[in-house]
Amino acid sequence: MKCPTQLFIDGVFCASSDHRTLPVINPATEATLAEVAAATVRDVETAIAGAQRAFEQGWRDCAPGRRAEIMFRIARVLREHAEELSQLESLSIGKPISDARDEIGMGARTFEYYAGAISTFCGQTIPVARGGFDFTLRQPMGVVAAIVPWNFPFPIATWKVAPALAAGNCVVLKPARPSPLTALRLGELAVEAGLPPGALQVLSGSGEEMGDALVKHPLVRKISFTGSTAVGSHIMQMAARDIKRVSLELGGKSPNIIFADADLAKAAATSPMSVFANTGQDCCARSRIFVERPVYEKFVELFVQATRQLVISDPSKEETQIGPLVSARQRESVETFLPTAQTPHLKILCGGDRPARKGYYLNPAVVVGCETSDRAWREEIFGPIACIRPFDREDEMLAEVNASPYGLSGSLWTNDLKRALRVLRRIESGVISVNCHNSLHLEAPFGGFKQSGLGRDLGQAAMEGYTELKNIYIAD
């Protein structure tokens, strides 16, 4: 298995300009997996200059058919190296190997989807009142900065890189500090598949200085960021100086709403993994569970039962469903949300303790007795804690759902179609699932309302977001 440890600039691996490195820690063993180059501001400038050259010297003007051919090839190469990439992802962030394989497969499908979209991505002809010929073009922006998080490193990288490249842009990709390995390998494999050197640059490392340099650079025309709301706000403020384009997919505190007429057994059996998958480190986690009072006690009983059956173990095992948190610091942060002697009204029905094994594990916790003012109910936890609360009236429940500053995802369980349509219209959220927990579809836009961000990943909307819309009029 190849473990890349250097920056990927202009088609080759290189050390950082000051030769600094940062450790990548295996969260399941707490051992150092690799020492990876930490990019400097000088490296950022070098990478952006190389991306601009690649844009001007060919990728911008590459024929659509040729661009599609290269992207299909990238997808094929990713499939050929799928097991290697899955192992890297699992080792570096503690993701169960079965999940890692699914996500690497999704990354390959993302390149295939946008390769296919190139031939159908077009402008419009518009019949204007004064006659003549009016039409629009979708043109690439130039250099795009893609900043991705550590919780789903590979798929989110492809969600940004693939549509940006498909639209004719070049990309400087910055993976999160804990999870650079698959991003670095992606850069190398893309060049092996025929992508021009410089069209995709990958900079590992961390630090505000490096990130700020990437966002502020005058040649960067757009920043696509997935991460915390606080950092997203900071990026938006910096981008405002030069009116840079931004798309932000930020935090979430998603609801899971269960009405009394729902298929209770199915809702209870599937809902634990809507919170605890990826050890709760998911902005779509349905961590606020609203249950109509007539079925509240039964749902809680079934939910706890299903939670206790989850397999929490070594990420390398096929049967593992829940692995460790990404770091000791992340586990400690999550534990601050657990009930203490100072919150006697809250009760932990299961979990919340550390298993007796090495690694940053935390057993999934189910908490009841929540009040809307409790931190665990209001704030994004990014860990394996689910809070369940009963409701009596639909309007009161919806007011509580929408009281959150976030609005990313959510689920609704009911067999009443009229009710479903009524409630779906009123939930302030960018993505909602009915009688399931499916937030993501490559073909459909993904993003949030309010402080969950702006702009969209995935679908045609993502590709549009990496272009400027130009209107042209030709007089008779």
Side-chain angles (χ1 to χ4, degrees):
M1 179 178 64
K2 189 169 183 178
C3 186
T5 59
Q6 294 185 307
L7 311 178
F8 191 74
I9 299 178
D10 292 338
V12 296
F13 283 115
C14 59
S16 66
S17 57
D18 65 359
H19 297 279
R20 285 187 305 124
T21 63
L22 291 169
V24 174
I25 306 297
N26 182 338
T29 65
E30 305 180 35
T32 299
L33 180 64
E35 291 283 344
V36 177
T40 65
V41 171
R42 182 178 169 187
D43 298 320
V44 171
E45 292 170 350
T46 300
I48 292 172
Q52 182 68 23
R53 280 195 304 274
F55 177 70
E56 293 176 352
Q57 294 175 7
W59 190 246
R60 170 181 58 190
D61 301 315
C62 183
R66 173 64 177 158
R67 202 155 64 235
E69 180 185 341
I70 291 171
M71 291 194 53
F72 275 122
R73 250 195 250 136
I74 293 173
R76 186 166 65 250
V77 170
L78 292 179
R79 292 187 188 283
E80 291 168 358
H81 293 267
E83 186 59 25
E84 167 202 337
L85 291 164
S86 300
Q87 294 291 339
L88 281 177
E89 197 86 323
S90 180
L91 289 169
S92 59
I93 58 172
K95 191 179 290 288
I97 188 63
S98 58
D99 291 350
R101 287 173 181 143
D102 287 344
E103 291 170 19
I104 300 302
M106 182 186 217
R109 291 196 304 276
T110 301
F111 272 93
E112 287 171 342
Y113 173 78
Y114 286 107
I118 290 171
S119 63
T120 61
F121 189 68
C122 54
Q124 296 175 296
T125 57
I126 304 169
V128 294
R130 66 181 61 189
F133 181 56
D134 192 279
F135 65 100
T136 62
L137 297 176
R138 287 278 183 185
Q139 295 192 187
M141 294 176 171
V143 178
V144 171
I147 305 174
V148 301
W150 48 258
N151 58 335
F152 295 97
F154 191 80
I156 293 179
T158 65
W159 299 354
K160 299 182 186 304
V161 170
L165 291 176
N169 302 282
C170 292
V171 182
V172 179
L173 171 63
K174 182 192 177 300
R177 172 178 172 170
S179 55
L181 302 181
T182 52
L184 291 166
R185 192 74 173 108
L186 170 63
E188 183 182 26
L189 292 172
V191 169
E192 287 180 11
L195 188 70
L200 174 58
Q201 317 273 39
V202 188
L203 300 177
S204 54
S206 67
E208 261 187 45
E209 187 181 28
M210 174 189 163
D212 287 3
L214 188 59
V215 173
K216 290 179 178 177
H217 198 287
L219 289 178
V220 172
R221 297 295 180 86
K222 173 171 178 169
I223 303 97
S224 180
F225 171 77
T226 297
S228 74
T229 298
V231 175
S233 176
H234 177 65
I235 287 172
M236 199 170 181
Q237 290 175 55
M238 289 191 294
R241 185 188 68 176
D242 297 320
I243 322 295
K244 291 181 187 285
R245 279 59 173 146
V246 296
S247 59
L248 307 170
E249 195 266 280
L250 307 175
K253 191 66 178 175
S254 298
N256 185 13
I257 304 163
I258 295 95
F259 281 96
D261 71 315
D263 183 337
L264 199 64
K266 183 179 179 182
T270 60
S271 288
M273 285 299 281
S274 78
V275 189
F276 303 133
N278 211 46
T279 323
Q281 299 165 129
D282 182 359
C283 50
C284 289
R286 276 79 162 163
S287 57
R288 289 189 300 158
I289 304 176
F290 299 80
V291 185
E292 198 167 15
R293 194 174 297 276
V295 295
Y296 172 75
E297 290 187 4
K298 184 62 177 176
F299 176 86
V300 169
E301 176 190 341
L302 294 172
F303 185 93
V304 170
Q305 186 180 72
T307 298
R308 291 186 188 278
Q309 293 172 355
L310 296 175
V311 180
I312 305 156
S313 188
D314 183 342
S316 67
K317 295 181 178 179
E318 298 285 344
E319 67 271 20
T320 298
Q321 295 173 280
I322 309 291
L325 288 143
V326 74
S327 66
R329 181 179 177 183
Q330 183 64 20
R331 179 170 64 178
E332 289 163 6
S333 171
V334 171
E335 288 173 329
T336 67
F337 288 90
L338 292 167
T340 66
Q342 284 73 46
T343 52
H345 58 283
L346 295 175
K347 183 178 180 183
I348 301 179
L349 299 183
C350 68
D353 57 318
R354 298 183 180 186
R357 63 165 66 93
K358 201 169 186 64
Y360 308 126
Y361 293 89
L362 188 67
N363 285 323
V366 180
V367 179
V368 295
C370 302
E371 296 176 0
T372 55
S373 58
D374 291 322
R375 279 188 69 224
W377 184 258
R378 290 184 296 106
E379 298 179 21
E380 183 175 35
I381 298 171
F382 229 61
I385 301 176
C387 297
I388 311 179
R389 179 175 164 84
F391 71 88
D392 295 297
R393 292 178 48 182
E394 180 182 304
D395 58 341
E396 291 175 350
M397 176 270 294
L398 283 166
E400 289 184 10
V401 167
N402 292 334
S404 172
Y406 300 111
L408 182 58
S409 190
S411 294
L412 170 64
W413 292 81
T414 180
N415 286 316
D416 184 331
L417 180 59
K418 287 179 65 176
R419 173 193 282 150
L421 293 173
R422 181 175 67 244
V423 171
L424 289 168
R425 289 191 182 99
R426 288 191 57 192
I427 295 174
E428 296 172 352
S429 182
V431 182
I432 312 171
S433 307
V434 180
N435 295 333
C436 66
H437 304 291
N438 300 328
S439 295
L440 294 169
H441 311 274
L442 292 181
E443 307 84 359
F446 173 77
F449 289 10
K450 301 186 286 187
Q451 291 185 30
S452 285
L454 54 88
R456 293 295 183 266
D457 285 321
L458 302 177
Q460 290 287 306
M463 204 162 162
E464 290 171 1
Y466 290 108
T467 62
E468 295 285 11
L469 184 62
K470 177 181 286 185
N471 181 254
I472 300 171
Y473 175 73
I474 303 173
D476 285 339

